Amino acid sequence: MQKKMIVFLVLLVLSLAVSGCSDKETSTVTIEGEDGQDYEVTYTEGSDDENCPVGSVWSTTNPTTGEVVSMEIVGKEVINGIEMCQAVYETDTPDENGIVKVEYLWSNENEENFMWTAYDQDGNMVSEMKAMDGKITMSDSEGVVMEMEIPKDE
């Protein structure tokens, strides 16, 4: 799971970085993974909104395992009065926790506000993490919830 999340974050940053380009076409780039393997990443640019390029899509296939991973920036949502960009990450190969889909929302105005919800192949929530209004809340599929305050920089 940790390796998939790292790859997801690298590809998310890559997709956001390329989304500011003006011609909305499909492109392919090659990146080297942590395992030394080269991965081809195909992406299609979405809207011209550099902060939340709705419609941007990237996908890649692991050349060793055949696992297909994709992410699409699907829209914007207002949560607790904060506009957040929403992306959906999906894979055809469940990880050790059965996760095949992650919905990720983030605020471009305040990096401390985000939500991350992971789902299994039956659509059941496996885990969720929210950082909103100075508080982090984590919950799992069993209903166990943990909350803590985000330390403030002084």
Side-chain angles (χ1 to χ4, degrees), residues 9-20:
L9 291 174
V10 166
L11 294 173
L12 175 63
V13 169
L14 175 65
S15 70
L16 292 173
V18 300
S19 65

Side-chain angles (χ1 to χ4, degrees), residues 52-125:
C52 188
V54 175
S56 293
V57 178
W58 66 253
S59 63
T60 189
T61 301
N62 183 317
T64 304
T65 66
E67 176 185 13
V68 177
V69 177
S70 66
M71 185 197 68
E72 178 177 4
I73 299 178
V74 296
K76 295 179 182 180
E77 191 171 332
V78 176
I79 299 175
N80 295 345
I82 301 167
E83 184 176 84
M84 302 183 93
C85 190
Q86 181 179 18
V88 175
Y89 160 92
E90 296 181 293
T91 180
D92 65 351
T93 306
D95 71 0
E96 64 273 6
N97 295 312
I99 295 170
V100 295
K101 177 180 176 181
V102 176
E103 292 180 353
Y104 178 56
L105 292 101
W106 70 95
S107 168
N108 287 305
E109 296 173 19
N110 181 343
E111 296 172 359
E112 294 180 1
N113 292 317
F114 67 89
M115 297 173 64
W116 187 282
T117 308
Y119 299 92
D120 66 16
Q121 55 197 4
D122 295 326
N124 299 314
M125 190 269 291

Side-chain angles (χ1 to χ4, degrees), residues 3 7 30-41 60-66:
K3 189 180 276 188
V7 170
T30 301
I31 61 170
E32 184 177 338
E34 291 180 350
D35 57 3
Q37 187 91 265
D38 284 340
Y39 294 84
E40 283 192 355
V41 179
T60 189
T61 301
N62 183 317
T64 304
T65 66

Side-chain angles (χ1 to χ4, degrees), residues 120-137:
D120 66 16
Q121 55 197 4
D122 295 326
N124 299 314
M125 190 269 291
V126 175
S127 62
E128 182 176 69
M129 181 174 176
K130 295 180 187 180
M132 300 285 292
D133 302 322
K135 181 171 56 172
I136 295 176
T137 305

